[in-house]
Each structure stands twice: as structure tokens, then as C-alpha cells.
């Protein structure tokens, strides 16, 4: 635990100091060393600061400072025990602290690297987690945590967002730097791409400036060897003072050696570890030294980062570092000195200071690689360039993209229909067993109509969900999605965005929530806001069961085309909305379209299957969670209140004309009353009251739409054992027509595509934008648009 967590009167043994730089050195000098006893004397009236006793003198620490000291609490001592026994006990506790620190063996590790360097693959291999790996920037938008054991140590491993540097320009850069400031990991694993060292090592130089314990994972080492390059990575590691371990995270090669090296660095017994300064040239080094010496005099400023790193960032005019030093008594003098030194550098270099520092760092990298890297003969017509010649071509790019999406939807529908039929047969068999062997009553109706009808009506679509996610995962991991953003840039530019916004939109095909979160990678505030607000129009996987049901029922011969049309419609509505938002609300604030186009890689089957099953697992959890609960609630609302007039036929279907919206409290269920109350608004769209209720039920989660239909269309003994598809197309005895027709199905799918986002998506919008008004806007605007487009589509469909 941490020192600040102790209460007044408690004692503890110091285990570890987590601080950094001058702050850590000051604490050590004051006696806060491993094995020492510390007493909590009292808390200030406002609970901060806290007074402690250590080495027979008293010292005051703020909570934030005490939080960086890890301790082992001591048990209360018996007051009647003699001094000898107390001394012996103290020795035992100190031994326990040593045991805690060396045999408990917990190492906190942070994975840091550029986008597409294989961090998350390494994280998944090491920890066994099922995080998604995407071959483009912005997939990892938060820290993913995992725990695993290796060689007697417990590793707490954190996968941080991909970032090119530790500036304060993008959200990822700020997130990583703030994590390093607040959490102080024991060892950093800097993941670099072996075949692209010159660019990847720039981030390494910044981590070296920080003076943190570090190991470099030379990832994708197989690609470097495939290119014919030869790298003396041991010599390179000795030159920069950081151990380097070759790895291939996709296959797990070198992972054990990597964590063996992490242990050696943690235990201070690796020969390659030494503190190195990345030389920036005499003039810049002079300025860095002046600022560094000034920063050393302020213990607060240098608590989390080395003074050298802060000095360099000051020269680069980093806004967050300027904010950090603003509380320092010498802040004004520091800024004034920085400005003077910066002008001095720019006069000598005839260049701005950040560019001069970057040039020196790249010069340092080039010099190190010149001594250690021998490049093989490059094939100028490599596979990536050959493929890009077609997939990014102005003539072939869009047709190839649409063809790929068509194939994905064809596979989702056609291949998925076979296991779907098997699952449907199993669900039908279970339902028939319940109907046959359970005695009549509410419990039987609940299980047969509520649980099996609701959950069973949704679980049959699991194969389609898995196939869709497998295809999307494969395209992301191969590097094609980045090309999709590239070819879409000009089109996105016309609606006031740029190609980078296309990535979160494509991610929305999986789930809108993580897609909205991934919008953090967009630097422009206005572009990020627009991307978030139009993302709900992307057809997430929760809507797929609805499409599969209705497309399979009414448009089986043209399933792939209808699927593609639904998805394209969502994109078109999103683009129109973006254009309106850019024109009438958000001030134009474009940033350059700068996005990495990684080389094409063949994703491993294991990685794609792991991602596919991870999403399938989430889908199944929803079956036993929100969908099960919603199905029971819908069943109850449809079952009650019980009326004397129909007590003999408790589960008989409720027959009402689509045009009969009058509420009859003597015979209607609660659900029918709700449906009839809303149906006058939905009737122009071709909705029966059951369809209106299903749409309402889909507000919490879109998966509930099909389960609601499954509950509402049960109870007819003639069709009980047939599929939901057959039940929704059976003629209504009152009207003589089925509730769903082809025109009504088109209208219903469009409305479900475009209307109010699910609750989780609304929460994500409010959280990411920081304003609840944007959540309200999405609910109202999306629903109005959905009604208008569905109405138009229904009227057109009636003509045919």
C-alpha cells in the first residue's frame, strides 16, 4: 500500500520510493529508504499535509508526496513486551519488507511505442488478454491492463496508446506522458519496429531524456531479417544505455527473453544499463544545462520528470511543461531565461529551436545506426507498393473498397446462414420441449415466450456477428483500413473533415462506443466533435440481427446488395450531417491529413480468431445480461394485466389492426397500450404497434429489438415451433395481411439504422464531448432524420 493510505497512529516499513529525480533523491537523503520504520503522527485539519516520524525526527509530507512511497504496514505492538522483543520484531518486519520487495516480486511495466509497432500484440501474448489489435493509429485509446507471472515475478503490464513522441500535441501524447508522471512504472518496455528504426527511435530518445528504467523490444525482427538487414543490437543497446531484445510479438518469439531482461533491469544487474545524454550540440546543450540547473533548485517541479527532460521541453515551448512550472516561485525567471536561450539558439542555427532539437536527435539516431546497422539491397517494387498501386488508384480504389465490403456482407449472410439454421433448430427444439413437458402457467409462458423467445431469437445471429468481426479484424490488421482512410480523404475533405476521421467511422461498424472513443486521435477539436456526432449513423453490429432477420425474410435473393445499401445509406446520412454541422455550427478548424500508411502484413489466423471470439464473448454476455432482463420485462408487460375475459387463453396472440390505435384497458396488455399510444406517430412508416414497441425497446441496446419481436410474435400454436421469420410473415387474423411487408421491412431497417443511439453510445458522446447537450442533440436529431428518411423510403417502396 501507499504511505498516504495509513491512518494516524499506524506504523509501516518503507518498501519502495516511486518518485523520480530530485524529489526521490531528497526523500532518500531524509531517511526514506527501504526497511526504515515510519510512524504516522497526525493529519492536518484539512487532511493534508501529514506529519510523520522517521529516524527519531519529524517530517511533514503532502499527500501527493506520500502517495509515491510504498510501505508494508506493521502490526500493533504489545505494550508489555520488552525492548529486546520489540527490536527482534522490528528486525522481523524489516526482513518481511525485504521479502515483500524481493520475493513478492511485483514489477509494474508500461508498454510505449509508435502506432503499429505491435505493442498490443505483445500485450496480448504476454498477458493472455483479448484486446483488439488494429493496424492504424488510434486503436488503443486508453491504457489496457493485464497481470501475468514470469520467473517468480508478478507483472502488472499496461498497454499505453501509440504515440510518435511525448509532446503535448495529440491526446495520445498527453495521455502517455501523464501516465508516466502519475504512475511511475518500474520499467518501461519501448516497443520499436525493427525495420523502421530511424523513425521509431525518436521516441526512444525522449524516454532516455526522462532517465527511466527501460528495455527496448526490437519488434517484428523477422521483417528486418527478411529485408536482408543486419543489426548489431547488442552494440546499439550499449551505445544508448538501454538493453535491446529482438521479438516477434505475433508468434511470441523472444517474449520470454524480453521479460527476463526486464527482471535484470529491475534488479539493477544488466550490464548494458547506463545513463546516456542524447547530445544536442554544444549550443543547445549549453542552454539545456542552464535551464536544468535552475529546475534542480525546485524539488516540486522535478518530482516526476528529470530536470534535463523538462529543460528540453521548455526549449521546445511545450505548453504542458510550461503549465507544470507555473507554480514554481522561479516560473517567471525560468520562462524569461528560456526565451533568451531560445533566441540565442535560433540566431546560431538560423532555425526554430524545436526543429533544431529534432534535427540533433535524428542526427544522434543516424550516428548510432551507422555504427550498428548494415542495410541489405532494397527491392524498390516491394509488395506494399505493388498492392498500393491498385488499392489507392483513383480508378480502382473505390470499386475495390466497395467490392471488399460487398464480399464481407455476402460472407456474413451466406456463410453465416448455415450455422444460423443449426442454432435456430436447437432453439426450436428446446422451445418444443418446454411446451410439451412443462405444465401450463405463467412460469411456462415466461420460459417459452420470454426467455427462449427473446434470447433465442437473438442468439441465432451469433454466426453472422462472428463472421463480420473476423472480416473487419482481418482488414484492420492487414493495413487495408489505413488505405481506406487515404482514398476517402478527398471525399471527407468536402464535408469539412479529413481521412483520419474515416477510421472511427469504419470502427463504428463494429461498435459505436469504442469508435467514438477512438476519435481522440483526431487533433482538430471541431473535426473530432463532428466525427463523434455522426458516428451513431454507422451501422454497428448490434443492428446486424435485425438486418439478417428482415433481409433474409424479404430480400434473400439480393441479400448482399441490400446489406451494402443499408451501410452505404448510414454513411451518406453521416456525410450530409457532417456537412451541415460544419456549415452552420462548428467553425472551420482543419488540421493537415498526416497518417501513417503501414506496410501490408498478413494477419495471423490466431490473432483474427482471438479478436472475433472476444467480440462474440461480449455478445454472449449480453445474452445473459441486458437482453435476458429486457426480454423478461417485455414479456411481463405483454403478459400483464390479466383480464377475466381472456383468462382461458392467457397466451393467445393479441390481434389488432395496424389501423386500430384505440387503447382498450379491458383487454390490452401494458405493452399493447404503450405501442398503441406511440403508433399514430409510427403508422405512416408502415409500423404495426409491435414494430413500434420493438423500436422503443431498442433504445437501451439495439440487440433488444429482435428479442422484443421474438417475445411479441410468440403464442400462436400453429406457428410456435417455426422461425421468427415465419411468425412475422404470418397473416394477422384481423387484417388478413402480415404485420411486416417488404416495404415495411425496408422502412423498419432504415429507422433502426438512423434513430436514437443506444444508451451506451449516448453516454460515450456526453463523456467524450464534455457536454450533455450533444447527447440530447443526438437523440432528437437522429430520431427526426430517421423518421423522415424511413417515411420517404416507405412511400417509394409502396410504388413498387
Amino acid at each position: 500500500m501507499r504511505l498516504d493510505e495509513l491512518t494516524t497512529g499506524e506504523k509501516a516499513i518503507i518498501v519502495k520510493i516511486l518518485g523520480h529525480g530530485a524529489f526521490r533523491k531528497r526523500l532518500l537523503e531524509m531517511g526514506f529508504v527501504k526497511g526504515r520504520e515510519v510512524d504516522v503522527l497526525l493529519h492536518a485539519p484539512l487532511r493534508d499535509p501529514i506529519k510523520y516520524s522517521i529516524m527519531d525526527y519529524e517530517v511533514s509530507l503532502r499527500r501527493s508526496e506520500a502517495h509515491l512511497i510504498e510501505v508494508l504496514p506493521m502490526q500493533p505492538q504489545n505494550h508489555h513486551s520488552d525492548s529486546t522483543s520489540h527490536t527482534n520484531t522490528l528486525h522481523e518486519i524489516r526482513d518481511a519488507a525485504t521479502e515483500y520487495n524481493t520475493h513478492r516480486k511485483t514489477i509494474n511495466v508500461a508498454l510505449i511505442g509508435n502506432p503499429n509497432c505491435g505493442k498490443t500484440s505483445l500485450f496480448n501474448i504476454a498477458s493472455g488478454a483479448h484486446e483488439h489489435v488494429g493496424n492504424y493509429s488510434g486503436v488503443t485509446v486508453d491504457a489496457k491492463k493485464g497481470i501475468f507471472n514470469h520467473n517468480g515475478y508478478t507483472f502488472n503490464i499496461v498497454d499505453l496508446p501509440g504515440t510518435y513522441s511525448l509532446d503535448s500535441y495529440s491526446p495520445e501524447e498527453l495521455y502517455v506522458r501523464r501516465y508516466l508522471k502519475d504512475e511511475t512504472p518500474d520499467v518501461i518496455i519501448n516497443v520499436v519496429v525493427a525495420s523502421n528504426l530511424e523513425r521509431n527511435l525518436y521516441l526512444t530518445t525522449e524516454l532516455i531524456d526522462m532517465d527511466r528504467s527501460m528495455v527496448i523490444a526490437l519488434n517484428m525482427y523477422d521483417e528486418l531479417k527478411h529485408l536482408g538487414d543486419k543489426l548489431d543490437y547488442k552494440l546499439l543497446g550499449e551505445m544508448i544505455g538501454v538493453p535491446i531484445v529482438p521479438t516477434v510479438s505475433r508468434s511470441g518469439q523472444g517474449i520470454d527473453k524480453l521479460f527476463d531482461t526486464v527482471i535484470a533491469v529491475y534488479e539493477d544487474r544488466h550490464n548494458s544499463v547506463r545513463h546516456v545524454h542524447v547530445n544536442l550540440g554544444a549550443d543547445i546543450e549549453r542552454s539545456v544545462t542552464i535551464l536544468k540547473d535552475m529546475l534542480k533548485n525546485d524539488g516540486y517541479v522535478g518530482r516526476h520528470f528529470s530536470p534535463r527532460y523538462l529543460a528540453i521541453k521548455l526549449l521546445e515551448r511545450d505548453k504542458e511543461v510550461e503549465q507544470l512550472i507555473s507554480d514554481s516561485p522561479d516560473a517567471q525567471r525560468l520562462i524569461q531565461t528560456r526565451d533568451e536561450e531560445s533566441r540565442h539558439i535560433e540566431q546560431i542555427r538560423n532555425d526554430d529551436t524545436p526543429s533544431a532539437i529534432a534535427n540533433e536527435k535524428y542526427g544522434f539516431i543516424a550516428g548510432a545506426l551507422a555504427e550498428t546497422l548494415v542495410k541489405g539491397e532494397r527491392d524498390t517494387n516491394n509488395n506494399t507498393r505493388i498492392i498500393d498501386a491498385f488499392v489507392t488508384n483513383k480508378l480502382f480504389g473505390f470499386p475495390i473498397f466497395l467490392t471488399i465490403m460487398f464480399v464481407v456482407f455476402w460472407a456474413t449472410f451466406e456463410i453465416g446462414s448455415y450455422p444460423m439454421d443449426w442454432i435456430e433448430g436447437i432453439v426450436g427444439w428446446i422451445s418444443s420441449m418446454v411446451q410439451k413437458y412443462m405444465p401450463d402457467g405463467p412460469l411456462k409462458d415466461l420460459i417459452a415466450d420470454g426467455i427462449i423467445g427473446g434470447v433465442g431469437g437473438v442468439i441465432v445471429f451469433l454466426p453472422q456477428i462472428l463472421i463480420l468481426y473476423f472480416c473487419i479484424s482481418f482488414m484492420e490488421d492487414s493495413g487495408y483500413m489505413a488505405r481506406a482512410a487515404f482514398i476517402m480523404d478527398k471525399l471527407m475533405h468536402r464535408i469539412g473533415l479529413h481521412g483520419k476521421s474515416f477510421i472511427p467511422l469504419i470502427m463504428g461498424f463494429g461498435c459505436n462506443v469504442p469508435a467514438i472513443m477512438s476519435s481522440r486521435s483526431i487533433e482538430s477539436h471541431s473535426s473530432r466533435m463532428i466525427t463523434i456526432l455522426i458516428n451513431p449513423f454507422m451501422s454497428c453490429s448490434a443492428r446486424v440481427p435485425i438486418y439478417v432477420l428482415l433481409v433474409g425474410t424479404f430480400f434473400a435473393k439480393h441479400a448482399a446488395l441490400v446489406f451494402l445499401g443499408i451501410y452505404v445509406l448510414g454513411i451518406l446520412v453521416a456525410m450530409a450531417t457532417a456537412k451541415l454541422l460544419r456549415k452552420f455550427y462548428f467553425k472551420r478548424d482543419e488540421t493537415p491529413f498526416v497518417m501513417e500508411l503501414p506496410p501490408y502484413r498478413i494477419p495471423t489466423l490466431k490473432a483474427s480468431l482471438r479478436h472475433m471470439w472476444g467480440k462474440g464473448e461480449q455478445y454472449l454476455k449480453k445474452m445473459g445480461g441486458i437482453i435476458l432482463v429486457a426480454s423478461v420485462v417485455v414479456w411481463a408487460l405483454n403478459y400483464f394485466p390479466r383480464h377475466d375475459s381472456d383468462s382461458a387463453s392467457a397466451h393467445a396472440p393479441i390481434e389488432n389492426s395496424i389501423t386500430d390505435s384505440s387503447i382498450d384497458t379491458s383487454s390490452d396488455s401494458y405493452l399493447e397500450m404503450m405501442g398503441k399510444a406511440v403508433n399514430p406517430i409510427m403508422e405512416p412508416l408502415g409500423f404495426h404497434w409491435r414494430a413500434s414497441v420493438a423500436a422503443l425497446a431498442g433504445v437501451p441496446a439495439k440487440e433488444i429489438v429482435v428479442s422484443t419481436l421474438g417475445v411479441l410474435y410468440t403464442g400462436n400454436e400453429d406457428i410456435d415451433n417455426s422461425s421468427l421469420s415465419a411468425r412475422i410473415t404470418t397473416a394477422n387474423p384481423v387484417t388478413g395481411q402480415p404485420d411486416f411487408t417488404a416495404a415495411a421491412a425496408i422502412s423498419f431497417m432504415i429507422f433502426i439504422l438512423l434513430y436514437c443511439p443506444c444508451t451506451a453510445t449516448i453516454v460515450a458522446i456526453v463523456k467524450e464531448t464534455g457536454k450533455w447537450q450533444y447527447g440530447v442533440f443526438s437523440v432528437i436529431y437522429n430520431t427526426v432524420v430517421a423518421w423522415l428518411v424511413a417515411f420517404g423510403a416507405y412511400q417509394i417502396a409502396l410504388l413498387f
Side-chain angles (χ1 to χ4, degrees):
M1 66 186 302
R2 302 296 176 88
L3 182 58
D4 65 308
E5 297 172 9
L6 298 178
T7 58
T8 302
E10 285 191 309
K11 299 181 179 182
I13 296 296
I14 295 172
V15 173
K16 187 192 302 181
I17 305 297
L18 301 176
H20 183 78
F23 165 76
R24 187 172 189 273
K25 186 172 183 294
R26 181 165 61 91
L27 284 181
L28 292 172
E29 291 170 348
M30 293 170 65
F32 286 86
V33 294
K34 183 175 70 176
R36 285 288 177 181
E37 179 183 348
V38 58
D39 299 358
V40 185
L41 297 181
L42 61 87
H43 290 68
L46 297 179
R47 308 294 296 169
D48 195 14
I50 307 169
K51 186 165 72 170
Y52 299 97
S53 173
I54 186 169
M55 297 178 66
D56 297 326
Y57 78 99
E58 297 177 358
V59 61
S60 173
L61 294 179
R62 291 177 180 168
R63 277 190 174 274
S64 58
E65 296 170 334
H67 185 72
L68 295 174
I69 302 174
E70 191 172 334
V71 297
L72 178 65
M74 295 172 59
Q75 297 297 325
Q77 299 299 312
N78 188 335
H79 294 292
H80 298 289
S81 61
D82 57 26
S83 58
T84 304
S85 62
H86 174 76
T87 303
N88 290 337
T89 305
L90 185 57
H91 282 305
E92 290 173 2
I93 293 173
R94 286 175 176 168
D95 290 342
T98 303
E99 181 82 9
Y100 178 86
N101 198 40
T102 59
H103 294 287
R104 170 177 168 263
K105 295 183 176 180
T106 298
I107 305 178
N108 300 315
V109 175
L111 296 178
I112 299 178
N114 289 183
N116 311 308
C117 68
K119 280 187 304 85
T120 307
S121 293
L122 194 155
F123 174 83
N124 287 339
I125 286 287
S127 66
H130 303 293
E131 297 302 334
H132 175 40
V133 185
N135 200 6
Y136 52 80
S137 175
V139 171
T140 310
V141 295
D142 270 326
K144 307 296 188 298
K145 300 179 181 180
I147 300 176
F148 68 98
N149 297 314
H150 177 76
N151 276 1
Y153 275 86
T154 298
F155 283 85
N156 295 320
I157 187 169
V158 178
D159 176 25
L160 294 172
T163 178
Y164 294 105
S165 70
L166 295 176
D167 294 325
S168 56
Y169 178 59
S170 73
E172 291 94 344
E173 293 167 350
L174 280 174
Y175 189 100
V176 172
R177 193 162 71 181
R178 287 172 182 171
Y179 181 88
L180 294 176
K181 169 181 173 288
D182 297 334
E183 300 300 327
T184 319
D186 297 317
V187 181
I188 293 170
I189 295 180
N190 177 207
V191 185
V192 302
V193 179
S195 58
N196 195 1
L197 284 173
E198 190 164 9
R199 194 210 58 208
N200 277 245
L201 287 176
Y202 185 85
L203 176 60
T204 307
T205 63
E206 294 204 302
L207 293 171
I208 291 172
D209 291 335
M210 280 189 174
D211 191 20
R212 297 291 181 92
S213 295
M214 183 166 56
V215 176
I216 292 176
L218 191 65
N219 203 27
M220 304 179 193
Y221 190 65
D222 54 335
E223 293 185 3
L224 181 136
K225 292 194 292 185
H226 179 73
L227 291 171
D229 295 352
K230 294 181 180 180
L231 175 68
D232 189 342
Y233 58 85
K234 291 183 179 178
L235 177 58
L236 179 60
E238 291 171 358
M239 291 174 66
I240 63 176
V242 182
I244 298 178
V245 181
T247 60
V248 182
S249 59
R250 288 182 300 170
S251 64
Q253 180 183 335
I255 302 300
D256 288 343
K257 177 67 180 299
L258 175 67
F259 286 100
D260 288 340
T261 307
V262 170
I263 292 171
V265 170
Y266 178 73
E267 295 179 346
D268 295 324
R269 56 179 177 80
H270 200 286
N271 296 330
S272 297
V273 176
R274 64 190 183 94
H275 182 52
V276 173
H277 282 174
V278 177
N279 193 292
L280 303 176
D283 51 341
I284 298 178
E285 285 293 340
R286 170 188 165 277
S287 300
V288 169
T289 301
I290 292 172
L291 292 171
K292 180 181 69 176
D293 290 342
M294 293 177 67
L295 288 164
K296 280 183 178 180
N297 295 326
D298 190 325
Y300 174 78
V301 172
R303 180 184 305 171
H304 301 282
F305 296 121
S306 73
R308 177 177 175 83
Y309 172 78
L310 294 173
I312 293 171
K313 286 299 171 186
L314 266 181
L315 285 171
E316 292 177 338
R317 299 184 181 275
D318 187 286
K319 297 299 182 184
E320 182 135 307
V321 171
E322 289 179 355
Q323 181 65 34
L324 181 66
I325 69 164
S326 63
D327 295 330
S328 171
D330 291 333
Q332 187 174 354
R333 192 164 65 92
L334 275 166
I335 295 298
Q336 183 179 351
T337 304
R338 186 277 310 273
D339 292 341
E340 292 172 358
E341 294 303 320
S342 183
R343 283 194 295 270
H344 177 69
I345 292 170
E346 289 170 1
Q347 287 174 357
I348 295 175
R349 298 285 183 122
N350 196 26
D351 199 357
D352 62 276
T353 306
S355 296
I357 291 173
N359 288 334
E360 288 293 341
K361 287 193 171 185
Y362 276 115
F364 173 85
I365 295 167
L369 293 179
E371 297 291 328
T372 56
L373 178 65
V374 178
K375 290 189 175 183
E377 293 184 4
R378 295 279 197 250
D379 181 7
T380 55
N381 296 317
N382 58 51
N383 293 335
T384 293
R385 293 183 183 179
I386 293 172
I387 297 172
D388 274 348
F390 292 94
V391 301
T392 62
N393 186 278
K394 64 180 180 180
L395 295 178
F396 304 127
F398 284 103
I400 288 174
F401 174 72
L402 293 175
T403 301
I404 289 174
M405 296 308 295
F406 177 84
V407 170
V408 168
F409 298 135
W410 176 87
T412 299
F413 187 82
E414 294 294 335
I415 299 176
S417 64
Y418 296 102
M420 175 185 170
D421 291 340
W422 303 336
I423 297 174
E424 199 168 59
I426 295 171
V427 172
W429 177 81
I430 295 173
S431 179
S432 66
M433 291 297 100
V434 171
Q435 294 283 3
K436 183 176 180 181
Y437 292 107
M438 283 194 70
D440 291 340
L443 181 60
K444 175 182 176 179
D445 293 339
L446 169 62
I447 295 174
D449 298 342
I451 297 175
I452 297 176
V455 176
V458 180
I459 200 172
V460 297
F461 302 107
L462 178 62
Q464 279 90 351
I465 298 293
L466 294 178
I467 292 172
L468 180 64
Y469 268 113
F470 178 85
C471 294
I472 291 177
S473 172
F474 190 90
M475 287 191 294
E476 289 173 348
D477 297 346
S478 68
Y480 176 73
M481 281 303 190
R483 273 67 185 185
F486 177 79
I487 65 175
M488 291 296 294
D489 178 56
K490 189 170 184 179
L491 189 59
M492 300 296 286
H493 182 77
R494 290 179 178 174
I495 62 173
L497 300 174
H498 56 64
K500 202 169 185 178
S501 295
F502 189 67
I503 296 300
L505 300 183
I506 289 294
M507 287 183 68
F509 289 160
C511 179
N512 296 138
V513 175
I516 287 171
M517 293 172 66
S518 73
S519 301
R520 297 176 190 174
S521 63
I522 302 171
E523 293 84 3
S524 166
H525 173 75
S526 63
S527 294
R528 184 164 64 252
M529 293 297 103
I530 293 173
T531 304
I532 289 171
L533 293 175
I534 68 176
N535 204 289
F537 292 121
M538 300 297 104
S539 190
C540 68
S541 61
R543 299 175 174 101
V544 171
I546 305 161
Y547 305 152
V548 172
L549 172 66
L550 297 179
V551 170
T553 302
F554 296 100
F555 312 103
K557 292 183 179 180
H558 307 287
L561 281 174
V562 176
F563 253 76
L564 183 61
I566 289 289
Y567 278 73
V568 169
L569 176 63
I571 294 172
L572 292 175
V573 172
M575 293 173 67
T577 301
K579 186 73 174 177
L580 291 173
L581 288 171
R582 178 63 79 186
K583 184 175 182 180
F584 295 108
Y585 188 76
F586 289 101
K587 184 180 179 181
R588 186 167 295 274
D589 180 23
E590 294 185 11
T591 56
F593 175 55
V594 181
M595 193 179 81
E596 180 184 2
L597 293 178
Y600 289 101
R601 299 186 177 102
I602 300 176
T604 61
L605 181 63
K606 182 179 179 181
S608 296
L609 289 175
R610 181 163 50 196
H611 175 223
M612 177 192 76
W613 178 244
K615 294 301 181 182
E617 195 174 27
Q618 293 177 17
Y619 190 72
L620 289 174
K621 286 179 180 178
K622 282 187 177 182
M623 298 296 106
I626 186 172
I627 293 177
L628 174 61
V629 173
S631 298
V632 172
V633 170
V634 170
W635 170 85
L637 291 173
N638 192 39
Y639 192 81
F640 296 104
R642 311 303 296 138
H643 300 289
D644 293 338
S645 61
D646 63 354
S647 59
S649 55
H651 57 277
I654 301 168
E655 310 298 355
N656 287 282
S657 168
I658 190 171
T659 60
D660 182 11
S661 298
S662 59
I663 298 174
D664 185 355
T665 56
S666 65
S667 61
D668 291 348
S669 68
Y670 292 127
L671 198 63
E672 187 174 6
M673 295 177 198
M674 293 167 56
K676 286 182 176 181
V678 175
N679 209 52
I681 300 173
M682 310 305 292
E683 207 170 316
L685 309 184
F687 284 22
H688 184 271
W689 71 265
R690 291 185 178 94
S692 300
V693 169
L696 280 174
V699 173
K702 296 298 181 281
E703 294 94 341
I704 300 175
V705 173
V706 172
S707 67
T708 301
L709 292 174
V711 173
L712 293 175
Y713 284 94
T714 55
N716 191 322
E717 296 295 339
D718 296 331
I719 58 172
D720 249 355
N721 296 330
S722 54
S723 66
L724 179 57
S725 177
R727 296 200 295 271
I728 66 173
T729 53
T730 300
N732 187 315
V734 175
T735 64
Q737 299 292 328
D739 294 341
F740 274 94
T741 62
I746 290 175
S747 174
F748 189 76
M749 286 189 292
I750 290 174
F751 187 81
I752 296 299
L753 165 70
L754 301 176
Y755 84 128
C756 171
C758 70
T759 303
T761 301
I762 296 171
V763 171
I765 290 171
V766 173
K767 182 180 177 182
E768 293 301 315
T769 60
K771 293 184 178 180
W772 62 266
Q773 291 92 333
Y774 288 126
V776 173
F777 169 81
S778 290
V779 171
I780 297 174
Y781 174 81
N782 292 24
T783 304
V784 170
V785 168
W787 195 95
L788 293 173
V789 177
F791 175 78
Y794 181 64
Q795 298 304 319
I796 293 172
L798 288 177
L799 299 176
F800 297 96

